[in-house]
Amino acid sequence: MKTDTIILPIHPIHVNKILSGEKIYEYRKRIPLDIRYIVVYATAPIKKIVALIEIDMIIKGSPKIVWEKTQSHSGISNDFFRQYFSDNKNAYAIRFKSVLKLEKPMPLTCMDHPRAPQSYVYVDKSFNELKVLLKVL
C-alpha cells in the first residue's frame, strides 16, 4: 500500500547530526516527491528506528544548484556531496520541518518489516499511528 510515509535508512553519523539539529537536509539520488514523513532507520551498528521526521519540502535540481541552496545546513562537506552525486544529473534534498526522537530506539520488526530497505520502503500506517506505535518524545 502506497502512503505518504517511508522508512529511510540513514548512517548513524548523519542520524546524530539530524538529531542535534546540525543537519536539516538529507540528500538522495532518488526519492518520491509525494512523501510527507520519514521513519528514520539508523543503519549498522545501531540497526534501529530512532526518529520520525515531518518533511518541509523536497528540492530537486542539478547537484550544483541543490548544494548552493542547502549547504549551510547540510551537515556534510562539499567534497562528500560532490562524490555522492558524481555521476548524477539530479540531486534531491529533503528539508526537515520537525524531527521527533523516539523515547527508545525500536527494531524494524515492530512495524512488520523483517529487514532494512536498500533505499526506502513505504509504510502502511498513518503518521499519528506511528507516533503512538513508536512512542516518540
Side-chain angles (χ1 to χ4, degrees), residues 3 5 14 19 24 33-34 38 44 48 68 72 81 85 88 90 106 108 112 115 118 130:
T3 64
T5 306
H14 302 298
L19 295 176
I24 64 168
L33 297 176
D34 59 349
I38 295 171
K48 302 253 182 180
E68 288 172 0
S72 63
F81 181 89
F85 288 108
N88 290 75
N90 288 313
M106 299 184 75
L108 275 174
D112 300 325
R115 59 184 177 268
Q118 287 297 311
L130 289 171

Short mmCIF file of all heavy atoms in Angstrom, two decimals, residues 3 5 14 19 24 33-34 38 44 48 68 72 81 85 88 90 106 108 112 115 118 130:
data_model
loop_
_atom_site.label_atom_id
_atom_site.label_comp_id
_atom_site.label_asym_id
_atom_site.label_seq_id
_atom_site.Cartn_x
_atom_site.Cartn_y
_atom_site.Cartn_z
N THR A 3 1.65 5.02 0.75
CA THR A 3 1.21 6.09 1.65
C THR A 3 2.14 7.28 1.47
O THR A 3 2.97 7.31 0.58
CB THR A 3 1.25 5.61 3.11
OG1 THR A 3 2.61 5.33 3.47
CG2 THR A 3 0.41 4.37 3.33
N THR A 5 4.36 8.08 3.76
CA THR A 5 5.42 7.84 4.74
C THR A 5 6.34 6.72 4.25
O THR A 5 5.87 5.71 3.75
CB THR A 5 4.81 7.44 6.10
OG1 THR A 5 3.86 8.43 6.50
CG2 THR A 5 5.88 7.30 7.16
N HIS A 14 25.18 10.53 10.25
CA HIS A 14 24.22 11.53 9.78
C HIS A 14 23.01 11.63 10.71
O HIS A 14 22.48 12.71 10.93
CB HIS A 14 23.80 11.23 8.35
CG HIS A 14 24.95 11.18 7.40
ND1 HIS A 14 25.77 12.26 7.14
CD2 HIS A 14 25.44 10.17 6.67
CE1 HIS A 14 26.71 11.92 6.28
NE2 HIS A 14 26.53 10.65 5.98
N LEU A 19 19.62 14.59 14.62
CA LEU A 19 19.04 14.70 15.96
C LEU A 19 19.56 15.92 16.72
O LEU A 19 18.84 16.49 17.54
CB LEU A 19 19.29 13.42 16.75
CG LEU A 19 18.61 12.17 16.22
CD1 LEU A 19 19.00 10.94 17.04
CD2 LEU A 19 17.09 12.33 16.18
N ILE A 24 19.77 19.64 8.54
CA ILE A 24 18.33 19.72 8.31
C ILE A 24 17.96 19.29 6.88
O ILE A 24 16.82 19.45 6.46
CB ILE A 24 17.76 21.11 8.62
CG1 ILE A 24 18.32 22.18 7.70
CG2 ILE A 24 17.96 21.47 10.08
CD1 ILE A 24 17.57 23.50 7.77
N LEU A 33 8.54 12.22 -4.58
CA LEU A 33 8.26 13.63 -4.28
C LEU A 33 6.96 13.83 -3.51
O LEU A 33 6.68 14.93 -3.04
CB LEU A 33 8.23 14.45 -5.57
CG LEU A 33 9.54 14.49 -6.35
CD1 LEU A 33 9.37 15.24 -7.66
CD2 LEU A 33 10.65 15.12 -5.51
N ASP A 34 6.18 12.77 -3.36
CA ASP A 34 4.88 12.89 -2.69
C ASP A 34 4.88 12.44 -1.23
O ASP A 34 3.82 12.25 -0.64
CB ASP A 34 3.82 12.12 -3.48
CG ASP A 34 4.14 10.64 -3.61
OD1 ASP A 34 5.27 10.22 -3.29
OD2 ASP A 34 3.25 9.88 -4.06
N ILE A 38 9.06 10.67 7.26
CA ILE A 38 10.13 9.68 7.18
C ILE A 38 10.27 9.00 8.53
O ILE A 38 10.34 9.65 9.57
CB ILE A 38 11.48 10.34 6.82
CG1 ILE A 38 11.42 10.95 5.42
CG2 ILE A 38 12.63 9.35 6.95
CD1 ILE A 38 12.64 11.80 5.08
N ALA A 44 23.66 0.01 10.50
CA ALA A 44 24.65 -0.64 11.37
C ALA A 44 25.66 0.39 11.89
O ALA A 44 26.02 1.30 11.15
CB ALA A 44 25.37 -1.74 10.61
N LYS A 48 18.29 0.27 14.22
CA LYS A 48 17.01 0.52 14.91
C LYS A 48 16.34 1.76 14.32
O LYS A 48 17.00 2.62 13.73
CB LYS A 48 17.24 0.79 16.40
CG LYS A 48 17.93 -0.32 17.15
CD LYS A 48 17.00 -1.04 18.03
CE LYS A 48 17.80 -2.10 18.77
NZ LYS A 48 17.10 -2.89 19.63
N GLU A 68 24.11 24.69 -3.59
CA GLU A 68 24.06 26.14 -3.35
C GLU A 68 22.90 26.52 -2.43
O GLU A 68 23.04 27.39 -1.58
CB GLU A 68 23.95 26.91 -4.67
CG GLU A 68 25.23 26.90 -5.48
CD GLU A 68 25.06 27.49 -6.88
OE1 GLU A 68 23.94 27.92 -7.25
OE2 GLU A 68 26.08 27.49 -7.62
N SER A 72 24.46 25.39 3.84
CA SER A 72 24.65 25.92 5.20
C SER A 72 24.09 25.01 6.29
O SER A 72 24.51 25.10 7.43
CB SER A 72 24.02 27.32 5.31
OG SER A 72 22.63 27.24 5.09
N PHE A 81 29.56 15.64 -0.66
CA PHE A 81 28.39 15.87 -1.50
C PHE A 81 28.72 15.60 -2.97
O PHE A 81 28.02 14.87 -3.66
CB PHE A 81 27.88 17.30 -1.32
CG PHE A 81 26.67 17.64 -2.14
CD1 PHE A 81 25.40 17.42 -1.65
CD2 PHE A 81 26.81 18.19 -3.41
CE1 PHE A 81 24.27 17.73 -2.41
CE2 PHE A 81 25.69 18.51 -4.17
CZ PHE A 81 24.42 18.27 -3.67
N PHE A 85 27.19 12.58 -5.51
CA PHE A 85 26.43 12.87 -6.73
C PHE A 85 27.29 12.92 -7.99
O PHE A 85 26.85 13.44 -9.01
CB PHE A 85 25.68 14.20 -6.58
CG PHE A 85 24.51 14.12 -5.63
CD1 PHE A 85 24.58 14.72 -4.38
CD2 PHE A 85 23.35 13.44 -5.98
CE1 PHE A 85 23.51 14.66 -3.50
CE2 PHE A 85 22.29 13.36 -5.10
CZ PHE A 85 22.36 13.97 -3.86
N ASN A 88 25.55 11.84 -11.27
CA ASN A 88 24.11 12.11 -11.35
C ASN A 88 23.82 13.50 -11.89
O ASN A 88 24.48 14.46 -11.53
CB ASN A 88 23.48 11.96 -9.96
CG ASN A 88 23.45 10.53 -9.51
OD1 ASN A 88 24.47 9.98 -9.13
ND2 ASN A 88 22.30 9.92 -9.57
N ASN A 90 20.71 14.78 -11.47
CA ASN A 90 19.77 15.33 -10.50
C ASN A 90 20.19 14.98 -9.07
O ASN A 90 20.76 13.92 -8.82
CB ASN A 90 18.35 14.81 -10.73
CG ASN A 90 17.72 15.40 -11.95
OD1 ASN A 90 17.77 16.60 -12.17
ND2 ASN A 90 17.13 14.55 -12.78
N MET A 106 13.75 1.42 18.35
CA MET A 106 12.98 0.19 18.20
C MET A 106 13.40 -0.57 16.94
O MET A 106 13.81 0.04 15.96
CB MET A 106 11.49 0.52 18.14
CG MET A 106 11.00 1.22 19.41
SD MET A 106 9.24 1.51 19.41
CE MET A 106 8.65 -0.12 19.71
N LEU A 108 12.99 -2.78 13.46
CA LEU A 108 12.07 -2.71 12.32
C LEU A 108 10.91 -3.70 12.45
O LEU A 108 9.83 -3.46 11.91
CB LEU A 108 12.83 -3.02 11.02
CG LEU A 108 13.54 -1.86 10.37
CD1 LEU A 108 14.37 -2.34 9.19
CD2 LEU A 108 12.57 -0.79 9.93
N ASP A 112 6.49 -4.58 11.28
CA ASP A 112 6.30 -5.69 10.35
C ASP A 112 7.24 -5.63 9.15
O ASP A 112 6.88 -6.05 8.04
CB ASP A 112 4.84 -5.77 9.86
CG ASP A 112 3.87 -5.97 11.01
OD1 ASP A 112 4.24 -6.68 11.96
OD2 ASP A 112 2.77 -5.41 10.95
N ARG A 115 13.54 -6.68 7.47
CA ARG A 115 14.91 -6.21 7.23
C ARG A 115 14.90 -4.79 6.67
O ARG A 115 13.89 -4.33 6.14
CB ARG A 115 15.65 -7.15 6.29
CG ARG A 115 15.02 -7.34 4.96
CD ARG A 115 15.78 -8.38 4.13
NE ARG A 115 15.11 -8.59 2.88
CZ ARG A 115 14.20 -9.52 2.65
NH1 ARG A 115 13.85 -10.33 3.61
NH2 ARG A 115 13.63 -9.63 1.48
N GLN A 118 16.98 -1.14 1.11
CA GLN A 118 18.21 -0.65 0.49
C GLN A 118 18.16 0.85 0.26
O GLN A 118 19.14 1.54 0.50
CB GLN A 118 18.46 -1.37 -0.84
CG GLN A 118 18.89 -2.80 -0.67
CD GLN A 118 20.22 -2.92 0.05
OE1 GLN A 118 21.18 -2.24 -0.29
NE2 GLN A 118 20.27 -3.76 1.06
N LEU A 130 1.98 5.98 13.79
CA LEU A 130 3.41 5.77 14.02
C LEU A 130 3.88 6.43 15.30
O LEU A 130 4.69 5.87 16.04
CB LEU A 130 4.22 6.30 12.83
CG LEU A 130 4.10 5.48 11.55
CD1 LEU A 130 4.73 6.22 10.39
CD2 LEU A 130 4.73 4.12 11.74
#
